Amino acid sequence: YKVYDAINIAIDDPISSERIIECLPFFVKWMESDEEIFSDPSMTSIFSGLLTLLALRPNQSSLEILGSSQILVSALLNIGVDKDAYVQLLSDLDDISGDGIGASQVYWLLELVEELYQHSSPDSNVRSNFFHKVAAKIKSVYNRLTQAQTKSVNLLFHELELHIPEGIAGSQDVEENRWAQLENKKIGIYTLNESAGRRAGQILKDLEPSLQVSINSQHAGSDQLKALSENSDYFLISWLSAKHAATDFIRQHRPAEDIIYATGKGASSIVRCIEVALR
């Protein structure tokens, strides 16, 4: 609380404001490392306040700001917020995403929508309006999306009963060559979010039909997880949706440099990290 109070004082000072803004993502990551802090309901006002500070600052669309806002949203949704705080949360996210987005921000938006969709909402109308705003922003860059982004958007939009844009993603030849690397390969995905794992598997299979995708959601080591860790051509751990016992077990049976870590909990985060690995 003392650190947060100091931030609020310093951020109003023109001399220290810029440095504080640069430090906010590091402060959020520091808090995230403490599980007790990130599950403490008494921290709700601080998480909400930090999200608003991120929304009010210039250059909100930087990767550091987007990542920090996602961490804070996840914490707030897991703790639970009342209607007023929820409305403010969505308003801040709308400000952070901005009026115009780039293709690089689409995965971040999809991850947010997935997380909001998976948690109960104290105001379904406000959430629905936010989803439609996200859809409008994505439509503006739809024709510049990669194949993986396009398929991720289409699948999620279909589940949310949002209008799917008509168009094709650009640079098809490059994209086809990229996903052809997965021909007849095996991908193992470890995540406790089984629905996200299944959705990611469906998207990856659409991109390369010969690909074999196996999802594991066990809380500890097993013969099945051992075999998946050792025999997969690619292995991914959804870091924010995993049990330490299982991840430690995986690292015992697979070299650390051969593990891909998804930074989010949703299907779009899984697909994005596979896409980056193939580049």
Side-chain angles (χ1 to χ4, degrees):
Y1 286 96
K2 291 182 179 179
V3 175
Y4 177 66
D5 289 342
I7 287 174
N8 272 318
I9 294 171
I11 208 162
D12 288 329
D13 186 323
I15 297 177
S16 59
S17 177
E18 186 175 343
R19 292 182 176 85
I20 291 296
I21 292 168
E22 291 178 356
C23 290
L24 282 178
F26 297 100
F27 181 56
V28 172
K29 289 293 291 184
W30 170 68
M31 289 196 304
E32 184 191 21
S33 66
D34 190 321
E35 292 185 7
E36 289 188 12
I37 289 179
F38 251 61
S39 59
D40 185 353
S42 68
M43 294 293 292
T44 300
S45 61
I46 290 181
F47 296 149
S48 297
L50 287 171
L51 189 63
T52 299
L53 287 178
L54 293 175
L56 294 176
R57 298 303 108 189
N59 302 318
Q60 304 102 317
S61 59
S62 71
L63 293 178
E64 292 81 8
I65 295 298
L66 298 181
S68 298
S69 63
Q70 186 170 328
I71 292 170
L72 292 170
V73 169
S74 181
L76 287 166
L77 293 176
N78 285 329
I79 292 173
V81 293
D82 60 24
K83 181 177 178 179
D84 290 342
Y86 190 81
V87 171
Q88 182 63 50
L89 182 153
L90 294 185
S91 176
D92 288 339
L93 289 177
D94 191 32
D95 289 338
I96 290 171
S97 59
D99 294 328
I101 66 167
S104 61
Q105 292 174 255
V106 167
Y107 276 131
W108 172 76
L109 281 171
L110 293 176
E111 182 77 16
L112 284 177
V113 170
E114 283 186 79
E115 184 131 29
L116 289 165
Y117 183 49
Q118 290 172 1
H119 286 81
S120 60
S121 169
D123 192 322
S124 58
N125 289 330
V126 170
R127 183 176 69 174
S128 178
N129 289 337
F130 177 77
F131 287 167
H132 280 88
K133 288 182 179 179
V134 169
K137 292 176 182 181
I138 291 178
K139 288 173 190 176
S140 68
V141 295
Y142 187 80
N143 287 329
R144 293 194 280 117
L145 302 184
T146 65
Q147 282 183 300
Q149 287 177 317
T150 303
K151 291 185 181 295
S152 299
V153 168
N154 290 352
L155 183 59
L156 187 57
F157 276 28
H158 178 73
E159 288 189 18
L160 296 176
E161 298 182 347
L162 296 171
H163 174 66
I164 298 175
E166 295 181 0
I168 58 173
S171 191
Q172 293 295 304
D173 291 339
V174 173
E175 287 294 303
E176 288 171 5
N177 290 337
R178 177 180 301 154
W179 294 103
Q181 297 176 66
L182 295 180
E183 184 176 0
N184 296 316
K185 299 293 186 181
K186 298 178 181 178
I187 284 186
I189 298 173
Y190 177 76
T191 175
L192 296 179
N193 189 335
E194 295 184 47
S195 62
R198 287 194 299 270
R199 190 184 299 113
Q202 181 179 339
I203 294 169
L204 293 169
K205 289 280 290 181
D206 285 344
L207 290 162
E208 176 47 60
S210 67
L211 178 67
Q212 297 180 46
V213 182
S214 299
I215 315 295
N216 189 287
S217 301
Q218 296 171 331
H219 287 206
S222 66
D223 291 340
Q224 181 185 9
L225 187 55
K226 178 176 181 291
L228 190 62
S229 303
E230 293 177 339
N231 300 325
S232 297
D233 296 295
Y234 297 87
F235 194 93
L236 181 141
I237 296 175
S238 186
W239 185 250
L240 293 181
S241 183
K243 286 290 185 181
H244 290 305
T247 54
D248 289 344
F249 180 82
I250 291 167
R251 285 192 286 258
Q252 291 173 11
H253 298 283
R254 190 175 184 90
E257 62 271 17
D258 287 339
I259 299 175
I260 302 167
Y261 292 95
T263 54
K265 299 179 181 179
S268 52
S269 179
I270 294 172
V271 174
R272 179 179 67 83
C273 289
I274 295 293
E275 183 178 28
V276 170
L278 293 178
R279 289 175 183 169

mmCIF file with all atom_site columns, all heavy atoms in Angstrom, residues 17-30:
data_model
loop_
_atom_site.group_PDB
_atom_site.id
_atom_site.type_symbol
_atom_site.label_atom_id
_atom_site.label_alt_id
_atom_site.label_comp_id
_atom_site.label_asym_id
_atom_site.label_entity_id
_atom_site.label_seq_id
_atom_site.pdbx_PDB_ins_code
_atom_site.Cartn_x
_atom_site.Cartn_y
_atom_site.Cartn_z
_atom_site.occupancy
_atom_site.B_iso_or_equiv
_atom_site.pdbx_formal_charge
_atom_site.auth_seq_id
_atom_site.auth_comp_id
_atom_site.auth_asym_id
_atom_site.auth_atom_id
_atom_site.pdbx_PDB_model_num
ATOM 1   N N   . SER A 1 17 ? 7.163  11.638  -13.288 1.00 0.00 ? 17 SER A N   1
ATOM 2   C CA  . SER A 1 17 ? 6.066  10.923  -13.942 1.00 0.00 ? 17 SER A CA  1
ATOM 3   C C   . SER A 1 17 ? 6.548  9.953   -15.010 1.00 0.00 ? 17 SER A C   1
ATOM 4   O O   . SER A 1 17 ? 6.126  8.788   -15.055 1.00 0.00 ? 17 SER A O   1
ATOM 5   C CB  . SER A 1 17 ? 5.088  11.927  -14.567 1.00 0.00 ? 17 SER A CB  1
ATOM 6   O OG  . SER A 1 17 ? 4.063  11.247  -15.267 1.00 0.00 ? 17 SER A OG  1
ATOM 7   N N   . GLU A 1 18 ? 7.452  10.404  -15.887 1.00 0.00 ? 18 GLU A N   1
ATOM 8   C CA  . GLU A 1 18 ? 7.910  9.559   -16.990 1.00 0.00 ? 18 GLU A CA  1
ATOM 9   C C   . GLU A 1 18 ? 8.615  8.317   -16.483 1.00 0.00 ? 18 GLU A C   1
ATOM 10  O O   . GLU A 1 18 ? 8.428  7.213   -17.000 1.00 0.00 ? 18 GLU A O   1
ATOM 11  C CB  . GLU A 1 18 ? 8.837  10.355  -17.901 1.00 0.00 ? 18 GLU A CB  1
ATOM 12  C CG  . GLU A 1 18 ? 9.246  9.593   -19.154 1.00 0.00 ? 18 GLU A CG  1
ATOM 13  C CD  . GLU A 1 18 ? 10.078 10.438  -20.099 1.00 0.00 ? 18 GLU A CD  1
ATOM 14  O OE1 . GLU A 1 18 ? 10.061 11.686  -19.946 1.00 0.00 ? 18 GLU A OE1 1
ATOM 15  O OE2 . GLU A 1 18 ? 10.743 9.861   -20.979 1.00 0.00 ? 18 GLU A OE2 1
ATOM 16  N N   . ARG A 1 19 ? 9.432  8.481   -15.456 1.00 0.00 ? 19 ARG A N   1
ATOM 17  C CA  . ARG A 1 19 ? 10.154 7.324   -14.901 1.00 0.00 ? 19 ARG A CA  1
ATOM 18  C C   . ARG A 1 19 ? 9.189  6.343   -14.242 1.00 0.00 ? 19 ARG A C   1
ATOM 19  O O   . ARG A 1 19 ? 9.369  5.126   -14.330 1.00 0.00 ? 19 ARG A O   1
ATOM 20  C CB  . ARG A 1 19 ? 11.209 7.801   -13.893 1.00 0.00 ? 19 ARG A CB  1
ATOM 21  C CG  . ARG A 1 19 ? 12.350 8.577   -14.522 1.00 0.00 ? 19 ARG A CG  1
ATOM 22  C CD  . ARG A 1 19 ? 13.379 8.987   -13.479 1.00 0.00 ? 19 ARG A CD  1
ATOM 23  N NE  . ARG A 1 19 ? 14.539 9.655   -14.080 1.00 0.00 ? 19 ARG A NE  1
ATOM 24  C CZ  . ARG A 1 19 ? 14.605 10.939  -14.357 1.00 0.00 ? 19 ARG A CZ  1
ATOM 25  N NH1 . ARG A 1 19 ? 13.567 11.711  -14.074 1.00 0.00 ? 19 ARG A NH1 1
ATOM 26  N NH2 . ARG A 1 19 ? 15.678 11.470  -14.896 1.00 0.00 ? 19 ARG A NH2 1
ATOM 27  N N   . ILE A 1 20 ? 8.176  6.873   -13.554 1.00 0.00 ? 20 ILE A N   1
ATOM 28  C CA  . ILE A 1 20 ? 7.185  6.013   -12.912 1.00 0.00 ? 20 ILE A CA  1
ATOM 29  C C   . ILE A 1 20 ? 6.437  5.187   -13.958 1.00 0.00 ? 20 ILE A C   1
ATOM 30  O O   . ILE A 1 20 ? 6.203  3.989   -13.790 1.00 0.00 ? 20 ILE A O   1
ATOM 31  C CB  . ILE A 1 20 ? 6.193  6.841   -12.071 1.00 0.00 ? 20 ILE A CB  1
ATOM 32  C CG1 . ILE A 1 20 ? 6.909  7.426   -10.849 1.00 0.00 ? 20 ILE A CG1 1
ATOM 33  C CG2 . ILE A 1 20 ? 5.008  5.986   -11.634 1.00 0.00 ? 20 ILE A CG2 1
ATOM 34  C CD1 . ILE A 1 20 ? 7.421  6.396   -9.882  1.00 0.00 ? 20 ILE A CD1 1
ATOM 35  N N   . ILE A 1 21 ? 6.061  5.833   -15.059 1.00 0.00 ? 21 ILE A N   1
ATOM 36  C CA  . ILE A 1 21 ? 5.339  5.141   -16.124 1.00 0.00 ? 21 ILE A CA  1
ATOM 37  C C   . ILE A 1 21 ? 6.177  3.981   -16.664 1.00 0.00 ? 21 ILE A C   1
ATOM 38  O O   . ILE A 1 21 ? 5.678  2.873   -16.887 1.00 0.00 ? 21 ILE A O   1
ATOM 39  C CB  . ILE A 1 21 ? 4.985  6.119   -17.259 1.00 0.00 ? 21 ILE A CB  1
ATOM 40  C CG1 . ILE A 1 21 ? 3.956  7.137   -16.766 1.00 0.00 ? 21 ILE A CG1 1
ATOM 41  C CG2 . ILE A 1 21 ? 4.429  5.376   -18.474 1.00 0.00 ? 21 ILE A CG2 1
ATOM 42  C CD1 . ILE A 1 21 ? 3.756  8.304   -17.708 1.00 0.00 ? 21 ILE A CD1 1
ATOM 43  N N   . GLU A 1 22 ? 7.476  4.236   -16.862 1.00 0.00 ? 22 GLU A N   1
ATOM 44  C CA  . GLU A 1 22 ? 8.359  3.187   -17.367 1.00 0.00 ? 22 GLU A CA  1
ATOM 45  C C   . GLU A 1 22 ? 8.490  2.040   -16.376 1.00 0.00 ? 22 GLU A C   1
ATOM 46  O O   . GLU A 1 22 ? 8.701  0.884   -16.765 1.00 0.00 ? 22 GLU A O   1
ATOM 47  C CB  . GLU A 1 22 ? 9.739  3.781   -17.654 1.00 0.00 ? 22 GLU A CB  1
ATOM 48  C CG  . GLU A 1 22 ? 9.765  4.744   -18.841 1.00 0.00 ? 22 GLU A CG  1
ATOM 49  C CD  . GLU A 1 22 ? 11.139 5.339   -19.064 1.00 0.00 ? 22 GLU A CD  1
ATOM 50  O OE1 . GLU A 1 22 ? 12.042 5.050   -18.242 1.00 0.00 ? 22 GLU A OE1 1
ATOM 51  O OE2 . GLU A 1 22 ? 11.307 6.096   -20.039 1.00 0.00 ? 22 GLU A OE2 1
ATOM 52  N N   . CYS A 1 23 ? 8.356  2.364   -15.085 1.00 0.00 ? 23 CYS A N   1
ATOM 53  C CA  . CYS A 1 23 ? 8.536  1.337   -14.048 1.00 0.00 ? 23 CYS A CA  1
ATOM 54  C C   . CYS A 1 23 ? 7.268  0.534   -13.756 1.00 0.00 ? 23 CYS A C   1
ATOM 55  O O   . CYS A 1 23 ? 7.351  -0.533  -13.130 1.00 0.00 ? 23 CYS A O   1
ATOM 56  C CB  . CYS A 1 23 ? 9.023  1.987   -12.755 1.00 0.00 ? 23 CYS A CB  1
ATOM 57  S SG  . CYS A 1 23 ? 10.714 2.607   -12.834 1.00 0.00 ? 23 CYS A SG  1
ATOM 58  N N   . LEU A 1 24 ? 6.094  1.040   -14.147 1.00 0.00 ? 24 LEU A N   1
ATOM 59  C CA  . LEU A 1 24 ? 4.849  0.362   -13.805 1.00 0.00 ? 24 LEU A CA  1
ATOM 60  C C   . LEU A 1 24 ? 4.814  -1.113  -14.226 1.00 0.00 ? 24 LEU A C   1
ATOM 61  O O   . LEU A 1 24 ? 4.407  -1.975  -13.437 1.00 0.00 ? 24 LEU A O   1
ATOM 62  C CB  . LEU A 1 24 ? 3.654  1.110   -14.411 1.00 0.00 ? 24 LEU A CB  1
ATOM 63  C CG  . LEU A 1 24 ? 3.199  2.379   -13.676 1.00 0.00 ? 24 LEU A CG  1
ATOM 64  C CD1 . LEU A 1 24 ? 2.032  3.032   -14.412 1.00 0.00 ? 24 LEU A CD1 1
ATOM 65  C CD2 . LEU A 1 24 ? 2.803  2.061   -12.237 1.00 0.00 ? 24 LEU A CD2 1
ATOM 66  N N   . PRO A 1 25 ? 5.224  -1.460  -15.467 1.00 0.00 ? 25 PRO A N   1
ATOM 67  C CA  . PRO A 1 25 ? 5.216  -2.882  -15.835 1.00 0.00 ? 25 PRO A CA  1
ATOM 68  C C   . PRO A 1 25 ? 6.092  -3.748  -14.934 1.00 0.00 ? 25 PRO A C   1
ATOM 69  O O   . PRO A 1 25 ? 5.735  -4.890  -14.613 1.00 0.00 ? 25 PRO A O   1
ATOM 70  C CB  . PRO A 1 25 ? 5.740  -2.879  -17.282 1.00 0.00 ? 25 PRO A CB  1
ATOM 71  C CG  . PRO A 1 25 ? 5.379  -1.520  -17.802 1.00 0.00 ? 25 PRO A CG  1
ATOM 72  C CD  . PRO A 1 25 ? 5.564  -0.608  -16.625 1.00 0.00 ? 25 PRO A CD  1
ATOM 73  N N   . PHE A 1 26 ? 7.236  -3.199  -14.498 1.00 0.00 ? 26 PHE A N   1
ATOM 74  C CA  . PHE A 1 26 ? 8.116  -3.954  -13.596 1.00 0.00 ? 26 PHE A CA  1
ATOM 75  C C   . PHE A 1 26 ? 7.461  -4.131  -12.230 1.00 0.00 ? 26 PHE A C   1
ATOM 76  O O   . PHE A 1 26 ? 7.594  -5.186  -11.587 1.00 0.00 ? 26 PHE A O   1
ATOM 77  C CB  . PHE A 1 26 ? 9.466  -3.244  -13.445 1.00 0.00 ? 26 PHE A CB  1
ATOM 78  C CG  . PHE A 1 26 ? 10.241 -3.132  -14.718 1.00 0.00 ? 26 PHE A CG  1
ATOM 79  C CD1 . PHE A 1 26 ? 10.241 -1.951  -15.435 1.00 0.00 ? 26 PHE A CD1 1
ATOM 80  C CD2 . PHE A 1 26 ? 10.956 -4.216  -15.220 1.00 0.00 ? 26 PHE A CD2 1
ATOM 81  C CE1 . PHE A 1 26 ? 10.953 -1.833  -16.618 1.00 0.00 ? 26 PHE A CE1 1
ATOM 82  C CE2 . PHE A 1 26 ? 11.667 -4.115  -16.398 1.00 0.00 ? 26 PHE A CE2 1
ATOM 83  C CZ  . PHE A 1 26 ? 11.661 -2.929  -17.108 1.00 0.00 ? 26 PHE A CZ  1
ATOM 84  N N   . PHE A 1 27 ? 6.746  -3.111  -11.781 1.00 0.00 ? 27 PHE A N   1
ATOM 85  C CA  . PHE A 1 27 ? 6.045  -3.183  -10.498 1.00 0.00 ? 27 PHE A CA  1
ATOM 86  C C   . PHE A 1 27 ? 4.949  -4.258  -10.552 1.00 0.00 ? 27 PHE A C   1
ATOM 87  O O   . PHE A 1 27 ? 4.780  -5.046  -9.620  1.00 0.00 ? 27 PHE A O   1
ATOM 88  C CB  . PHE A 1 27 ? 5.449  -1.817  -10.170 1.00 0.00 ? 27 PHE A CB  1
ATOM 89  C CG  . PHE A 1 27 ? 4.721  -1.760  -8.855  1.00 0.00 ? 27 PHE A CG  1
ATOM 90  C CD1 . PHE A 1 27 ? 5.362  -2.118  -7.679  1.00 0.00 ? 27 PHE A CD1 1
ATOM 91  C CD2 . PHE A 1 27 ? 3.397  -1.348  -8.786  1.00 0.00 ? 27 PHE A CD2 1
ATOM 92  C CE1 . PHE A 1 27 ? 4.711  -2.063  -6.456  1.00 0.00 ? 27 PHE A CE1 1
ATOM 93  C CE2 . PHE A 1 27 ? 2.731  -1.296  -7.574  1.00 0.00 ? 27 PHE A CE2 1
ATOM 94  C CZ  . PHE A 1 27 ? 3.387  -1.649  -6.413  1.00 0.00 ? 27 PHE A CZ  1
ATOM 95  N N   . VAL A 1 28 ? 4.224  -4.302  -11.678 1.00 0.00 ? 28 VAL A N   1
ATOM 96  C CA  . VAL A 1 28 ? 3.165  -5.309  -11.846 1.00 0.00 ? 28 VAL A CA  1
ATOM 97  C C   . VAL A 1 28 ? 3.762  -6.713  -11.860 1.00 0.00 ? 28 VAL A C   1
ATOM 98  O O   . VAL A 1 28 ? 3.236  -7.627  -11.216 1.00 0.00 ? 28 VAL A O   1
ATOM 99  C CB  . VAL A 1 28 ? 2.372  -5.037  -13.137 1.00 0.00 ? 28 VAL A CB  1
ATOM 100 C CG1 . VAL A 1 28 ? 1.393  -6.190  -13.419 1.00 0.00 ? 28 VAL A CG1 1
ATOM 101 C CG2 . VAL A 1 28 ? 1.601  -3.725  -13.033 1.00 0.00 ? 28 VAL A CG2 1
ATOM 102 N N   . LYS A 1 29 ? 4.867  -6.895  -12.576 1.00 0.00 ? 29 LYS A N   1
ATOM 103 C CA  . LYS A 1 29 ? 5.511  -8.219  -12.622 1.00 0.00 ? 29 LYS A CA  1
ATOM 104 C C   . LYS A 1 29 ? 6.015  -8.629  -11.245 1.00 0.00 ? 29 LYS A C   1
ATOM 105 O O   . LYS A 1 29 ? 5.958  -9.804  -10.881 1.00 0.00 ? 29 LYS A O   1
ATOM 106 C CB  . LYS A 1 29 ? 6.670  -8.198  -13.620 1.00 0.00 ? 29 LYS A CB  1
ATOM 107 C CG  . LYS A 1 29 ? 6.245  -8.113  -15.073 1.00 0.00 ? 29 LYS A CG  1
ATOM 108 C CD  . LYS A 1 29 ? 5.529  -9.378  -15.539 1.00 0.00 ? 29 LYS A CD  1
ATOM 109 C CE  . LYS A 1 29 ? 6.464  -10.562 -15.621 1.00 0.00 ? 29 LYS A CE  1
ATOM 110 N NZ  . LYS A 1 29 ? 5.772  -11.754 -16.153 1.00 0.00 ? 29 LYS A NZ  1
ATOM 111 N N   . TRP A 1 30 ? 6.521  -7.658  -10.493 1.00 0.00 ? 30 TRP A N   1
ATOM 112 C CA  . TRP A 1 30 ? 6.998  -7.957  -9.145  1.00 0.00 ? 30 TRP A CA  1
ATOM 113 C C   . TRP A 1 30 ? 5.850  -8.446  -8.270  1.00 0.00 ? 30 TRP A C   1
ATOM 114 O O   . TRP A 1 30 ? 5.993  -9.418  -7.529  1.00 0.00 ? 30 TRP A O   1
ATOM 115 C CB  . TRP A 1 30 ? 7.642  -6.706  -8.552  1.00 0.00 ? 30 TRP A CB  1
ATOM 116 C CG  . TRP A 1 30 ? 7.962  -6.818  -7.093  1.00 0.00 ? 30 TRP A CG  1
ATOM 117 C CD1 . TRP A 1 30 ? 8.902  -7.620  -6.513  1.00 0.00 ? 30 TRP A CD1 1
ATOM 118 C CD2 . TRP A 1 30 ? 7.319  -6.116  -6.021  1.00 0.00 ? 30 TRP A CD2 1
ATOM 119 N NE1 . TRP A 1 30 ? 8.887  -7.447  -5.143  1.00 0.00 ? 30 TRP A NE1 1
ATOM 120 C CE2 . TRP A 1 30 ? 7.925  -6.542  -4.812  1.00 0.00 ? 30 TRP A CE2 1
ATOM 121 C CE3 . TRP A 1 30 ? 6.299  -5.167  -5.970  1.00 0.00 ? 30 TRP A CE3 1
ATOM 122 C CZ2 . TRP A 1 30 ? 7.549  -6.040  -3.579  1.00 0.00 ? 30 TRP A CZ2 1
ATOM 123 C CZ3 . TRP A 1 30 ? 5.924  -4.665  -4.744  1.00 0.00 ? 30 TRP A CZ3 1
ATOM 124 C CH2 . TRP A 1 30 ? 6.544  -5.096  -3.563  1.00 0.00 ? 30 TRP A CH2 1
#
